[in-house]
Amino acid sequence: MEFDEAVLGARCHHPDCRRHDFLPFLCAGCTASFCLDHRLPAAHDCPHPPAAAPSPARSTPCPLCTVPVSWLPTENPHHVLARHIDAGCPSRANAAPVCAARGCKVRQAVPVMCKRCGRGYCVRHRFEADHKCEVRRVVEVPGRQRAAARVAELKGKQVAVGDASLAREDRVYATVWSEG
């Protein structure tokens, strides 16, 4: 099987190489194509070397406030993010909640909610025995009791069975509980 060199790749323009390369590199200075070994301007003695561009700054979003934080390639990104957070990250006030266990200062992005007392705990204090769980008394608000009764009434009407020929205004609904 033969292939056309003009279509598939190019020959390296370095006078001592002339290797056929299927993925040649184009020099930005002299616009000639080169192989991997001679792709840099210093490797092929480029007559018009391109000006050295400053290395671009990189950035990453802050994990707390999602604001882009930039750093130079010579800097450690972890140190730059720490400086950003220490300098007053906008979401520092909206940080994760502290564990509700007495004396624990651990912050959990997603706290484990106790089903018994309704408080959020870290992984270490997630079990009732670990945080000395006490049931909190729920204070009933009269408005909420009325709303809960209305919701229960509407749910009962959705599953009600009866004569469809009666008008809605004439219907009487009853809730029946059975023991056992």
Side-chain angles (χ1 to χ4, degrees):
M1 181 168 137
E2 294 184 31
F3 60 91
D4 186 10
E5 285 187 18
V7 175
L8 297 173
R11 292 214 173 262
C12 179
H13 276 81
H14 193 275
D16 296 334
C17 182
R18 305 295 297 156
R19 180 179 7 179
H20 185 263
D21 198 336
F22 290 102
L23 295 170
F25 293 89
L26 292 177
C27 176
C30 61
T31 66
S33 59
F34 294 95
C35 66
L36 178 65
D37 298 335
H38 300 109
R39 65 186 161 83
L40 298 175
H44 65 265
D45 298 325
C46 183
H48 310 289
S55 50
R58 297 180 179 143
S59 67
T60 186
C62 172
L64 300 176
C65 66
T66 67
V67 169
V69 179
S70 300
W71 73 88
L72 297 173
T74 57
E75 294 178 300
N76 184 339
H78 299 292
H79 295 186
V80 174
L81 280 171
R83 277 197 313 262
H84 164 75
I85 292 169
D86 292 340
C89 178
S91 73
R92 188 92 190 249
N94 300 335
V98 178
C99 175
R102 182 170 290 156
C104 184
K105 303 288 186 209
V106 174
R107 292 184 178 271
Q108 288 285 128
V110 181
V112 179
M113 301 305 289
C114 177
K115 291 180 182 175
R116 188 168 176 208
C117 65
R119 294 184 178 149
Y121 295 95
C122 67
V123 176
R124 185 175 171 199
H125 297 108
R126 68 184 180 269
F127 298 114
E128 292 176 11
D130 294 333
H131 64 262
K132 298 179 181 127
C133 187
E134 296 174 3
V135 178
R136 293 190 335 192
R137 283 194 234 162
V138 179
V139 178
E140 293 294 332
V141 179
R144 286 189 180 178
Q145 286 177 342
R146 275 185 264 130
R150 179 74 177 141
V151 168
E153 179 186 345
L154 292 174
K155 283 185 178 180
K157 287 182 178 180
Q158 288 176 345
V159 295
V161 178
D163 189 4
S165 63
L166 286 174
R168 287 196 178 266
E169 303 84 40
D170 296 337
R171 295 181 186 173
V172 176
Y173 296 92
T175 304
V176 179
W177 288 282
S178 64
E179 288 185 26

